[in-house]
Every structure is written in structure tokens, then in C-alpha cells.
Amino acid sequence: MPRNNRRRLLRGLAGAAALSVLGLPVGRAGAAPPQVVIAGGGFAGATCALALRRFAPSVRVTLVDRQDSFVTGPFCNTVIAGLRPVSAITQTHEGLSAAGVKVVHADIDGVEPTARRIRLGDGRTIAGDRLIIAPGIDFEWDAIDGYGPDHVERIPHAWPGGARQLRTLRDQLRAMPDNGRVIISTPDNPYRCPPGPYERASLIAHFLKQHRPDADVLILDAKDHFSKEPLFRTGWGARYGERVQWRGGRRAGGRGWSKWMPQASVCVPRAATNTQPMCSISFRPRKPAAWQPMPG
Ligand SMILES: Cc1cc2nc3c(=O)[nH]c(=O)nc-3n(C[C@H](O)[C@H](O)[C@H](O)COP(=O)(O)OP(=O)(O)OC[C@H]3O[C@@H](n4cnc5c(N)ncnc54)[C@H](O)[C@@H]3O)c2cc1C
């Protein structure tokens, strides 16, 4: 069989497989093309949309996301450390549109599984033969006592949420005093991207070494051990000396940082139960034993 025909055949088989995985009819004569609605245009939603367009071009794909551009988690620490601009990790949905995906920028308010439709914040609904729900994850805002959405401008988490949080944290790092201290709270397992907080601590230490040589990073960890610990410890020792401090589990006076006292600008290491990623950061003049439990 000529190579082009073979490729077409393979692509057709892959398309049929994609349709049958979704339970959609394969090539029903005269029927309207099947419609798939994808809620969320991050890594999962966007990849799924592209794969559907590639392997099942007869399927109409609508993707809904509240953001008109997507700032990736991967490589975001290089932005915080000033090694790259935010634009280097920002993706638009233009490639999806070019591939034939209908992209809608809107807030999704709810999903109606029985009716197979999603509800948008402005009251509109979008229905499909199949819905794919890919909204990622969110914070457990009650995991740290005293810390909530109202505090993120002052104590940025800089995880998801677009460029604004990344810029806030980057600018705070640049503005911190020469002998400042960055405090990172890391939760107990399970959470997404286990090495994430330690990678962030490394890149912040890199920045401090260049620009604030007397400053340091203190990690208050809810865990006794952490992902890729030997690798990180070796790297920290070799590159940053005492600049990265880690206090884990019982040594941190409990189970990590569980209380934030905004007025006093102190955090309190105590019993924590957070199970979602939370990388909260604060800066304050460096003091010995800042990780000791505070009365609270
Ligand atoms: C700092 C950091 C570093 C990381 N590094 C790596 C790495 O090196 N390698 C790796 O493999 N993974 C890494 N990850 C993990 C990776 O980013 C996630 O696994 C991935 O983003 C998950 O994809 P997702 O599509 O499920 O969710 P997301 O990428 O979070 O996408 C969800 C999308 O849904 C949209 N959405 C959510 N709710 C609504 C709503 N109500 N209305 C409209 N739209 C909505 C959001 O705007 C978003 O675009 C990292 C994550 C972070 C935070």
C-alpha cells in the first residue's frame, strides 16, 4: 500500500477509535456532525481538543476557558527568579482556533451532566453530545487559618491564576530588604507536583544569591520528608550554602505553617491539614528561629 494511503488509513482508524472512546457514532450518513464541548483550556483540555481535531476531524469541538491566555506552571519559577519574561510562558488559544476548535472565553458557572451542557456566567449554555471537564484544581482556602483570597496580593501564592500573581511575587522579591527572609509553607501529601515548592525555593535562592546575598529562604514543611529530597539537599548545599533552610514535620513545631497573622506579619507553624498545593510566601526582616511556634 502506498505510504500516503497507509497514513490516511491509520488516521481514519485513530479517528474511529477516538469517536468510539467517546461513545460517538462513527460516520452515520446524513447525521449532524457530533459535537464535543470541553470545559477548561489548560494542558488537558487543549491537548484533548487538538487530538480530537487531528484524529477525528468530523467532530466539532468547542473549548471554553475563562482566560484568553494561559500562563504555564512549568517554568514559572524562572519568571519569579527574573530569568525569563512572563511572555515566555504565556500561550494563547490561537493555535487551537487555527486547528478548527471553536474557542469561547467565558466563565463556566456549572455543568448539567444529564442535559450534557455547561452553563456560563452570563447565563448562556453550550450543549454537546459529549462534555469533557478539565478545569484543573483549586485551593482549599480554609487550609491555613487567617489566609484566604483577600490576602493573595500581599502574600502571593503564585501558583495558578495567570501572570498577575507571578509578577506580584517577582516584584516582592525585588523589593525585599537585603537581609530579608522568604518563608514558604508546603502542605502534607498528597498534592499536585510534589517537587514544585522545592524547585521554587531553589530558583528564589538563585535570585537571592545574585541580588540579596544576605537573605534566605525558610521552608516550613508539613512533611517529614519531601520529593527528591537528596537531590535538592545536595543542590542547595553546593549552590546556595545556608541560603535554603528547611524545617519539616515535628521539627517545624507541628505540621507546617497553619496560621497566618496578617497584622503581625508572622506565620505560625502548627498542625496543618491542607491537601492541596499552597505555596504561600511572606517576607520579613530576618530573625533567628523565626520558625518557632508563635502563641496564637
Ligand atoms: C508552578 C507549577 C509548576 C509545574 N511544573 C510542572 C512540570 O514541570 N511538569 C509537569 O508535567 N507538570 C507541571 N505542573 C503541573 C501542571 O501544570 C498541571 O498538571 C497541569 O496544568 C494540569 O492541567 P489541567 O488541564 O488539568 O489544568 P490546568 O492547566 O490548571 O487548566 C485548567 C483550565 O481550566 C480553566 N478553568 C478553570 N475553572 C474555570 C471556570 N470556572 N470557567 C472557565 N474556565 C475555567 C482555567 O482557566 C485553566 O485554563 C506544574 C504546576 C505548577 C503550578
Side-chain angles (χ1 to χ4, degrees):
M1 185 185 295
R3 182 180 280 199
N4 272 351
N5 287 356
R6 195 165 53 217
R7 198 173 287 154
R8 258 203 303 277
L9 174 67
L10 287 174
R11 189 172 269 208
L13 288 172
L19 289 173
S20 74
V21 163
L22 287 170
L24 291 169
V26 184
R28 214 172 48 200
Q35 159 115 344
V36 171
V37 178
I38 302 178
F43 281 100
T47 305
C48 189
L50 272 185
L52 273 172
R53 289 299 303 151
R54 182 169 304 165
F55 296 116
S58 64
V59 175
R60 284 184 300 153
V61 181
T62 302
L63 179 142
V64 186
D65 199 295
R66 56 158 69 112
Q67 310 180 90
D68 56 12
S69 59
F70 180 77
V71 178
T72 66
F75 293 103
C76 74
N77 292 317
T78 60
V79 172
I80 292 166
L83 301 174
R84 287 166 186 235
V86 180
S87 58
I89 59 164
T90 304
Q91 306 291 329
T92 68
H93 292 126
E94 279 166 21
L96 292 174
S97 302
V101 176
K102 182 177 176 194
V103 178
V104 177
H105 290 132
D107 235 318
I108 300 164
D109 215 22
V111 177
E112 299 173 13
T114 315
R116 289 194 182 138
R117 64 185 182 197
I118 57 171
R119 225 177 28 249
L120 305 186
D122 59 12
R124 283 180 296 159
T125 57
I126 302 181
D129 298 296
R130 289 290 179 272
L131 304 183
I132 294 174
I133 310 300
I137 56 171
D138 210 343
F139 293 123
E140 282 185 349
W141 283 112
D142 55 359
I144 296 182
D145 194 9
Y147 180 80
D150 292 346
H151 302 109
V152 301
E153 289 302 312
R154 180 149 166 225
I155 316 149
H157 51 72
W159 286 113
R164 190 183 166 106
Q165 275 284 295
L166 286 182
R167 289 202 181 99
T168 303
L169 180 53
R170 183 198 61 190
D171 294 348
Q172 285 193 355
L173 277 175
R174 287 177 179 172
M176 73 186 266
D178 284 343
N179 64 346
R181 164 165 278 174
V182 180
I183 300 177
I184 301 180
S185 165
T186 59
D188 207 347
N189 289 320
Y191 63 94
R192 181 177 280 176
C193 197
Y198 313 99
E199 178 192 310
R200 175 161 292 182
S202 307
L203 269 291
I204 289 178
H206 176 83
F207 172 86
L208 298 179
K209 189 175 173 183
Q210 317 282 320
H211 304 286
R212 301 285 183 278
D214 287 336
D216 71 359
V217 183
L218 171 63
I219 303 169
L220 296 177
D221 208 325
K223 302 178 284 299
D224 289 317
H225 295 284
F226 58 92
S227 172
K228 302 190 171 40
E229 183 170 346
L231 183 70
F232 277 113
R233 284 185 177 282
T234 306
W236 290 340
R239 290 174 176 272
Y240 310 125
E242 299 292 302
R243 221 167 258 113
V244 181
Q245 310 271 337
W246 179 84
R247 301 279 182 270
R250 275 180 293 278
R251 285 186 61 208
R255 303 293 297 167
W257 166 13
S258 71
K259 184 162 181 139
W260 166 250
M261 298 164 72
Q263 274 67 35
S265 280
V266 295
C267 63
V268 181
R270 229 178 37 182
T273 54
N274 25 346
T275 55
Q276 296 293 325
M278 174 72 77
C279 185
S280 308
I281 298 194
S282 88
F283 308 114
R284 65 197 192 101
R286 192 165 162 185
K287 265 191 186 174
W291 51 274
Q292 290 291 341
M294 302 288 294

